[in-house]
Amino acid sequence: DMPRAADQDRVIWLLQEQGRSSNRKVRSELNLSDDRYATIKQELIEEKLIEKVKGQGGGIQLTSRGLRASSRRSAFRIVWSTP
């Protein structure tokens, strides 16, 4: 497994807490630029850790593989970075 960037882990943790979430909410809660978020989202989709969900503005949720990945990481404390 390739080590993932902290931002990718933060997306996984957020989804672990909230289940599915809108793209806008994930971006704002993690303070990510549109470009950065698009890159992270694409990487996580390619790794089959998250999948797109339909809805207003679109959103994402963990796949079963993503849920397994997040459970391995749940021992880590979530540290929200402040801007």
Side-chain angles (χ1 to χ4, degrees), residues 8-78:
Q8 289 173 312
D9 276 336
R10 288 164 69 216
V11 170
I12 288 174
W13 280 324
L14 186 68
L15 292 176
Q16 189 182 8
E17 294 290 309
Q18 300 187 358
R20 63 178 57 183
S21 193
S22 71
N23 291 315
R24 193 175 59 210
K25 188 170 181 184
V26 176
R27 273 204 317 270
S28 67
E29 291 215 14
L30 300 182
N31 196 35
L32 298 167
S33 68
D34 288 358
D35 286 349
R36 179 72 182 133
Y37 176 67
T39 301
I40 293 163
K41 185 170 86 166
Q42 192 55 44
E43 287 169 353
L44 290 171
I45 288 169
E46 283 171 11
E47 288 185 56
K48 298 183 170 52
L49 294 174
I50 66 168
E51 58 197 3
K52 294 178 187 176
V53 293
K54 289 183 171 49
Q56 197 173 1
I60 54 175
Q61 66 186 9
L62 291 173
T63 61
S64 53
R65 183 174 173 177
L67 285 166
R68 286 197 302 275
S70 69
S71 64
R72 284 205 308 273
R73 289 178 165 70
S74 57
F76 292 106
R77 220 180 217 339
I78 299 175

